[in-house]
Amino acid sequence: MIKILFVCHGNICRSPMAEFVMKDMVKKAGAEKDFFIASAATSTEEIGNPVHHGTRRKLQQFGISTEGKYAVQLRKDDYEKYDYLIGMEQMNIRNMLRILRNDPEHKVSRLLDFTDRPRDIADPWYTGNFDVTYEDILEGCEALLQDCWLRLRS
């Protein structure tokens, strides 16, 4: 089983969007039993809050629900629980490494590092553009899923 944890600053916009997009892709591929997918925050600001309405609305356009998701914080022991710890931007990576203390197995990366165009995913909390965030997350999840398929086959 492949275990993926998506991480952003507050766990209300980008990381839950990635979590539920990836869950939807895995479900459509009939591979739910092969994956465990979750998301978390590097900060404590939004802990316990539901997914941002902009993310919920964007995902509803594709029939994807975020029902029951509330922000949680990344913990040091998550490093041992997950195969991939995926941040949305370089600041997330810096904060993840501060919390995790180390990355000896090279599990930590940005989502778009799996694509042909590595870059940060802008935070729609600030930009207000959930469409661009969705497109970037979709691109990243498709590339990450290809990496996961290779891992499952090896």
Side-chain angles (χ1 to χ4, degrees):
M1 174 175 281
I2 292 182
K3 297 174 185 162
I4 303 167
L5 184 66
F6 293 104
V7 181
C8 69
H9 181 75
N11 192 217
I12 61 168
C13 296
R14 294 171 293 176
S15 60
M17 184 181 285
E19 173 187 350
F20 288 97
V21 164
M22 189 67 138
K23 283 180 175 178
D24 186 62
M25 294 170 90
V26 164
K27 181 178 180 181
K28 288 176 178 172
E32 289 172 287
K33 68 176 178 28
D34 296 323
F35 288 86
F36 179 81
I37 303 163
S39 64
T42 58
S43 75
T44 58
E45 296 165 27
E46 300 289 347
I47 301 306
N49 288 337
V51 174
H52 188 281
H53 60 87
T55 292
R56 286 196 318 266
R57 275 200 298 265
K58 186 64 192 172
L59 293 180
Q60 285 170 352
Q61 293 176 8
F62 302 97
I64 300 172
S65 172
T66 62
E67 189 67 35
K69 172 65 183 172
Y70 296 92
V72 298
Q73 188 176 24
L74 175 68
R75 298 165 34 128
K76 186 176 187 238
D77 64 350
D78 285 331
Y79 192 82
E80 297 306 318
K81 295 176 186 175
Y82 292 93
D83 302 303
Y84 294 89
L85 292 108
I86 309 294
M88 301 295 123
E89 64 183 9
Q90 196 57 47
M91 182 68 80
N92 300 149
I93 300 299
R94 190 174 311 121
N95 290 331
M96 290 165 69
L97 293 173
R98 179 183 47 77
I99 293 166
L100 299 170
R101 307 268 195 267
N102 205 339
D103 183 21
E105 298 175 47
H106 308 287
K107 296 179 178 186
V108 176
S109 61
R110 290 180 306 176
L111 181 57
L112 291 175
D113 287 345
F114 291 90
T115 71
D116 294 335
R117 296 182 317 131
R119 62 199 185 278
D120 286 348
I121 296 174
D123 190 342
W125 173 265
Y126 298 105
T127 68
N129 195 333
F130 287 84
D131 295 332
V132 168
T133 298
Y134 174 80
E135 292 302 322
D136 284 348
I137 284 174
L138 183 62
E139 178 185 349
C141 285
E142 288 170 345
L144 174 59
L145 188 55
Q146 291 306 311
D147 194 80
C148 292
W149 292 135
L150 293 173
R151 183 181 280 211
L152 281 171
R153 290 186 185 116
S154 62

